[in-house]
Amino acid sequence: MPRHLVLGNGNLLINLDDRLNVRDLYYPYVGMLNHVNGNRNSIGVWVDGRFAWTDEEGWQRDNGYLPDTLVTDIRATHPGMGVELTVNSAVHFHYNLYLARIRVKNLDDRARELRVFFTHDFAIDQTDIGDTAFYDINLDAVMHYKRSRSFLISGSTPRGGIYQYATGTKRFGGAEGTWRDAEDGWLEGNPIAQGSVDSTISFRLDLGAREEQELLYWMAVGDSFEAVWQLAATARGKGVKNLLSESKAYWRSWIGKQRRDFKDLSQEAVDLFHRSLLTVRTQIDNRGAILAANDTDILQYNRDHYSYMWPRDGALVALAMDKAGYTELTRDFFLFCKNALSPSGFLWHKYNPDGSVGSSWHPWVRHNRSQLPIQEDETALVIHALWNHYQHTQDLEFVRALYEPLILKAAEFMIEYREKETLLPMESYDLWEERRGVFTYTAATVYAGLRAAARFARLFGHKDAYKRYRLASREVKQAMTKLLFDTDLNRFHRGYYRRANGELVQDPTLESSLWSLFALDVFRPDDPKVEATMQALEAGLWIKTHVGGMPRYYQDYYFHKTSDFSQVPGNPWVICTLWLAQWYIAKARSIPELSRARELIEWVCQHRMSSGLLSEQIHPYTGQPVSVSPLTWSHATFVDAIVDYLEKVEDLEQRKLTALAWQKAGE
């Protein structure tokens, strides 16, 4: 089930599904570790002897955020029970506190007692072995802990604090968990449990006819008893409502620091732009890692996840956020990459949020020969993104500190890791991590990375290095034209492969990542070779159902929903559809020529979830989200496309004004 709501502050990330369940809780890193592990942490309501969890049938749910904030705006109504819940929840922007203000309304014409239950199904440090849960009467709170992780939970209503509590065994020895104890409206009050445990607490409200009252709930997350005790004092001292107000004000100020004229874009596009900025922020760890996604449901497919820092994804996200004016967010990403760079000058497949090397499926041997298990674009794009960062910040001292340990080492690797006879990059894995070869996309990133390295060398007066890197980048570009452009097809190939005997095998597959040809300034967007390639991609890959959109490439099997590739070459991806929009933006020479780009931007708006989040893929027949959600790359690409669009409109308007001024002067 995709995550419909994400809340975080760079240390603590909490994800909710569309039924009010907390499904992921990451701390102390974004993406590491998940102390809920996808388990349901639910809300239940008891009234008139009847009980219902909010993820059961009978509820009408509307999930979203307060505008321009990371504060939820959720409404859940159960007509049969005559109950309505309005939930504003957030992770505080500074404190590691999860906060919820729940307005509970009695829809009946008579006074009633209601009880609201909260379950806590932790797997501290991603395992339920050796956990402890207990009730602390002095703090009127339930606490879960193991080793250096502590979670303290409490709350209040107009009647007082916790009404009842229970701790107990879950999913072991025949015990289901204390959530089952809640369903009769009464908790037995067991004060402590250890091992595979959970807890449930309840709050009581006495509501008059049609009356509404507030329930305030909070969770403190820390590395020790003392840390959460101090956070508990903050929660009680400042109050949940004030802390929520602080968070609401902070995020609106964060969004508002960049003033923009959104020209002729729809309000839906503006809202999604703001939501994308906020969503990307939740996926960036305060120590620099930019996580791909943090939706644990992907575990059911291969027992691994997206909670890694892929240097490629991170670099493209950093590019977008720097262009959008959030350069303070990306600095630590480049420092992360400096520390992660291998001694040989390349970046590995992916990394954990703490900087350790992540899992991989790239083999170290092929045809009984050693090979580097890398995707070279991940190294090249980081250097390209760093130059973009410098252009936006002009922070010479910052890039000086990265020049030798990151830029030069990576540039030397890119120069050396080339085929001697072609001067193209040697074989590595493609950006989709599925095949090994020499790819047009990878060559484009190496061209951009070497060009960026040359510019840095010139910046620091290193003439010899400047000449070497500039020459190497030009050699790559020339080789791309010679070996990767097919004159018969009149478009670029995806790439080529080398057989064990050295023979080249061309791959003419239609591949959306050829967007890189113009996006990385290898060729102009109106270059005839680019024009022909992009036109062929749109004609051959566009989904021929009512859903539409662009897939990654022809015959994409990842989560595919049909084998009718003539109609559906693959599931449409948000990023691939936006890449097409960026080409229309880049080549436009008048405002009317931007109409197709606007259509593609609106396509993305139409396929966002109700909460405003974007998934990785879209179902080609239903339009529903597929794979992880939210995908950081999807949101960052939307940000990137919107900034490109606004800059192009501004440029075209200025050109028109200048032309009119010259015309008037001539008269």
Side-chain angles (χ1 to χ4, degrees), residues 177-306:
T178 58
W179 63 272
R180 182 65 80 186
D181 185 26
E183 292 184 336
D184 62 357
W186 189 267
L187 296 172
E188 296 302 327
N190 183 47
I192 191 166
Q194 56 84 219
S196 178
V197 298
D198 73 340
S199 70
T200 302
I201 59 176
S202 68
F203 298 90
R204 179 178 171 180
L205 301 102
D206 293 315
L207 295 171
R210 302 285 174 175
E211 185 183 3
E212 179 179 278
Q213 292 182 12
E214 283 185 343
L215 189 166
L216 304 176
Y217 170 93
W218 54 265
M219 177 191 302
V221 181
D223 297 331
S224 66
F225 287 7
E226 291 75 17
V228 293
W229 290 342
Q230 185 173 355
L231 286 170
T234 300
R236 288 198 165 101
K238 286 197 168 189
V240 169
K241 286 195 291 186
N242 288 334
L243 290 166
L244 281 170
S245 294
E246 288 177 4
S247 293
K248 182 169 63 175
Y250 176 82
W251 292 118
R252 285 181 173 161
S253 297
W254 188 84
I255 282 291
K257 82 184 189 81
Q258 297 291 332
R259 300 291 181 182
R260 288 183 172 83
D261 177 359
F262 285 96
K263 306 297 182 180
D264 57 350
L265 291 177
S266 68
Q267 187 59 49
E268 288 77 12
V270 175
D271 292 343
L272 184 53
F273 178 75
H274 289 166
R275 181 56 47 206
S276 292
L277 287 169
L278 289 163
T279 303
V280 169
R281 178 63 187 95
T282 67
Q283 309 301 302
I284 299 179
D285 184 81
N286 287 339
R287 283 130 298 207
I290 299 175
L291 284 302
N294 291 287
D295 177 352
T296 312
D297 274 5
I298 198 72
L299 283 169
Q300 64 185 288
Y301 296 101
N302 62 359
R303 297 308 293 169
D304 209 342
H305 47 72
Y306 279 42

Side-chain angles (χ1 to χ4, degrees), residues 103-172:
R103 296 191 298 280
V104 183
K105 187 172 184 179
N106 174 19
L107 301 179
D108 209 316
D109 290 326
R110 58 192 173 88
R112 296 192 294 169
E113 174 194 343
L114 278 83
R115 300 174 194 168
V116 181
F117 294 76
F118 296 83
T119 68
H120 311 112
D121 187 349
F122 288 104
I124 300 175
D125 289 348
Q126 295 188 184
T127 172
D128 57 10
I129 298 173
D131 290 1
T132 300
F134 69 91
Y135 175 70
D136 185 336
I137 194 170
N138 296 313
L139 292 175
D140 188 31
V142 164
M143 186 162 173
H144 288 244
Y145 76 91
K146 180 166 63 187
R147 294 191 288 270
S148 59
R149 303 286 178 257
S150 297
F151 305 84
L152 189 68
I153 306 141
S154 189
S156 64
T157 69
R159 283 203 52 156
I162 293 174
Y163 176 57
Q164 292 178 332
Y165 64 87
T167 68
T169 302
K170 66 180 182 188
R171 294 189 294 276
F172 183 78

Side-chain angles (χ1 to χ4, degrees), residues 248-398:
K248 182 169 63 175
Y250 176 82
W251 292 118
R252 285 181 173 161
S253 297
W254 188 84
I255 282 291
K257 82 184 189 81
Q258 297 291 332
R259 300 291 181 182
R260 288 183 172 83
D261 177 359
F262 285 96
K263 306 297 182 180
D264 57 350
L265 291 177
S266 68
Q267 187 59 49
E268 288 77 12
V270 175
D271 292 343
L272 184 53
F273 178 75
H274 289 166
R275 181 56 47 206
S276 292
L277 287 169
L278 289 163
T279 303
V280 169
R281 178 63 187 95
T282 67
Q283 309 301 302
I284 299 179
D285 184 81
N286 287 339
R287 283 130 298 207
I290 299 175
L291 284 302
N294 291 287
D295 177 352
T296 312
D297 274 5
I298 198 72
L299 283 169
Q300 64 185 288
Y301 296 101
N302 62 359
R303 297 308 293 169
D304 209 342
H305 47 72
Y306 279 42
S307 295
Y308 295 105
M309 197 289 284
W310 273 266
R312 170 198 316 102
D313 294 41
L316 293 171
V317 172
L319 275 164
M321 296 304 282
D322 280 339
K323 286 169 64 173
Y326 291 86
T327 56
E328 70 281 358
L329 270 184
T330 61
R331 286 173 57 91
D332 287 337
F333 166 74
F334 296 111
L335 293 172
F336 184 107
C337 291
K338 180 204 72 167
N339 295 329
L341 195 73
S342 73
S344 298
F346 61 83
L347 288 161
W348 294 102
H349 179 183
K350 53 192 169 84
Y351 295 84
N352 294 304
D354 64 356
S356 57
V357 177
S359 63
S360 180
W361 50 88
H362 297 331
W364 291 56
V365 61
R366 183 167 176 256
H367 303 314
N368 290 321
R369 294 181 181 177
S370 174
Q371 67 176 20
L372 274 182
I374 65 167
Q375 302 155 56
E376 193 184 358
D377 68 302
E378 300 203 281
T379 302
L381 279 174
V382 168
I383 307 305
H384 170 67
L386 182 56
W387 178 255
N388 176 73
H389 180 81
Y390 172 71
Q391 287 182 299
H392 284 90
T393 64
Q394 296 296 300
D395 190 342
L396 191 62
E397 287 296 311
F398 178 66

Side-chain angles (χ1 to χ4, degrees), residues 458-664:
R458 182 174 57 187
L459 189 68
F460 292 109
H462 290 182
K463 294 181 180 179
D464 290 343
Y466 165 68
K467 291 177 181 178
R468 288 181 68 236
Y469 302 153
R470 184 181 64 169
L471 174 62
S473 68
R474 291 176 174 178
E475 289 172 342
V476 171
K477 179 176 179 179
Q478 290 167 1
M480 290 173 66
T481 302
K482 180 181 178 181
L483 296 171
L484 294 168
F485 184 78
D486 189 317
T487 53
D488 293 332
L489 292 175
N490 192 31
R491 62 175 174 84
F492 278 92
H493 283 178
R494 173 157 68 185
Y496 62 77
Y497 313 101
R498 282 196 182 274
R499 290 180 174 155
N501 62 4
E503 179 187 358
L504 292 184
V505 180
Q506 297 288 344
D507 182 353
T509 304
L510 292 170
E511 163 67 74
S512 65
S513 68
L514 296 177
W515 142 94
S516 57
L517 292 165
F518 73 88
L520 298 177
D521 295 324
V522 189
F523 302 97
R524 291 180 54 84
D526 57 358
D527 183 295
K529 296 186 294 298
V530 174
E531 288 259 7
T533 299
M534 295 303 296
Q535 288 170 358
L537 293 182
E538 184 171 13
L541 290 181
W542 187 260
I543 305 300
K544 298 173 181 63
T545 69
H546 73 281
V547 173
M550 290 285 285
R552 297 188 300 175
Y553 52 81
Y554 186 73
Q555 291 191 343
D556 182 1
Y557 283 91
Y558 188 46
F559 288 111
H560 75 289
K561 304 302 179 185
T562 178
S563 295
D564 184 4
F565 292 113
S566 64
Q567 297 296 307
V568 181
N571 294 341
W573 281 51
V574 171
I575 58 173
C576 302
T577 306
L578 287 168
W579 285 347
L580 181 61
Q582 287 182 296
W583 176 61
Y584 277 103
I585 294 167
K587 77 184 189 73
R589 294 294 176 264
S590 67
I591 298 295
E593 290 180 33
L594 288 169
S595 60
R596 178 58 173 155
R598 279 197 308 276
E599 290 174 4
L600 295 168
I601 288 170
E602 291 302 324
W603 181 92
V604 176
C605 295
Q606 292 162 11
H607 291 94
R608 71 194 189 280
M609 293 191 295
S610 59
S611 61
L613 300 189
L614 295 173
S615 60
E616 178 184 75
Q617 308 174 40
I618 304 298
H619 196 293
Y621 295 106
T622 69
Q624 294 301 304
V626 174
S627 188
V628 295
S629 175
L631 184 74
T632 312
W633 194 358
S634 293
H635 282 283
T637 307
F638 190 81
V639 168
D640 200 29
I642 294 297
V643 173
D644 283 351
Y645 182 88
L646 298 179
E647 289 179 349
K648 176 52 70 85
V649 172
E650 183 69 26
D651 177 61
L652 293 174
E653 289 176 346
Q654 288 299 318
R655 289 187 185 190
K656 185 175 182 180
L657 290 173
T658 301
L660 290 173
W662 277 105
Q663 181 181 1
K664 186 175 182 180

Side-chain angles (χ1 to χ4, degrees), residues 421-435:
E421 64 274 29
T422 69
L423 299 180
L424 285 170
M426 293 175 65
E427 287 187 317
S428 70
Y429 286 90
D430 69 346
L431 78 163
W432 311 123
E433 309 168 302
E434 295 173 340
R435 56 193 61 82

Side-chain angles (χ1 to χ4, degrees), residues 67-95:
D68 296 345
T69 74
L70 285 171
V71 179
T72 68
D73 186 17
I74 304 169
R75 180 163 295 177
T77 305
H78 197 300
M81 295 175 68
V83 176
E84 181 179 88
L85 307 178
T86 303
V87 184
N88 300 129
S89 59
V91 168
H92 192 270
F93 71 92
H94 178 68
Y95 302 112

